[in-house]
Amino acid sequence: MAVGSGDTSQDRRVRVQGAPVDSFPRLAPEVGRGAVRRITVVGEEILRRPCREVTEFGTPELSRLVDDMFATNQVAEGAGLAANQVDVDLQLFMWDITDEWGVRHVGHLANPVLDEVPAEQRSLVEETEGCLSVPGPTGWCRASTGPSYGAATRTADRW
């Protein structure tokens, strides 16, 4: 999965939580701390219901969940995971992906809220995507570039 995040033609450093860093290991540190969990699959009830907001930040349980999601995503060779894909009904997701310019993006967000982006600021990209909770099939998807959203990290930092 490719994700565009503006013009990165000059700066190809890894982005962690959206900020460029000078160095980053091949495996995100969370992978080494986490345990691999079972990935839920289409048809399971947890994938059909709304997830709860994260209300307690900075807890060992939330940190463990983020670490486990990174480890699970790494083993599954995914681009990212939502918490309900590891059977936890929280509004939390993580990503570790490389965009079309070869820039790696790594991070996690809790309680994301999408904001409306004016039509003149949007463009559509078409790319293949799959879902770890729907094993096997992939397909072409159209998506808007540069979505605008607000969220928090596991320590409640706003992003």
Side-chain angles (χ1 to χ4, degrees):
M1 177 170 143
V3 169
S5 64
D7 181 11
T8 59
S9 59
Q10 299 300 315
D11 186 352
R12 295 182 187 244
R13 291 180 291 170
V14 172
R15 305 297 197 274
V16 176
Q17 294 298 129
V21 295
D22 290 328
S23 67
F24 196 78
R26 186 180 73 75
L27 293 178
E30 295 88 346
V31 172
R33 296 189 303 256
V36 176
R37 296 188 184 203
R38 182 186 74 82
I39 296 175
T40 57
V41 295
V42 68
E44 293 188 42
E45 193 270 331
I46 194 164
L47 296 175
R48 292 191 299 262
R49 69 174 189 252
C51 292
R52 297 175 296 123
E53 283 192 16
V54 175
T55 58
E56 295 184 35
F57 294 90
T59 66
E61 294 81 14
L62 185 59
S63 290
R64 187 175 316 110
L65 175 58
V66 171
D67 292 347
D68 290 356
M69 290 170 65
F70 270 90
T72 303
N73 186 67
Q74 178 66 36
V75 168
E77 298 179 3
L81 276 175
N84 64 346
Q85 290 181 279
V86 292
D87 208 25
V88 177
D89 68 340
L90 287 176
Q91 294 177 15
L92 176 70
F93 74 98
M94 60 70 53
W95 65 93
D96 189 342
I97 54 178
T98 301
D99 68 21
E100 61 268 31
W101 298 286
V103 176
R104 184 176 174 197
H105 300 263
V106 181
H108 70 279
L109 292 176
N111 304 332
V113 178
L114 287 174
D115 296 324
E116 184 72 29
V117 176
E120 62 275 4
Q121 294 177 12
R122 289 181 284 188
S123 62
L124 287 179
V125 294
E126 216 175 275
E127 55 196 15
T128 59
E129 291 201 13
C131 178
L132 294 173
S133 290
V134 185
T138 60
W140 285 95
C141 294
R142 275 193 176 169
S144 178
T145 60
S148 176
Y149 50 87
T153 67
R154 70 174 106 185
T155 57
D157 294 329
R158 295 305 300 165
W159 198 64

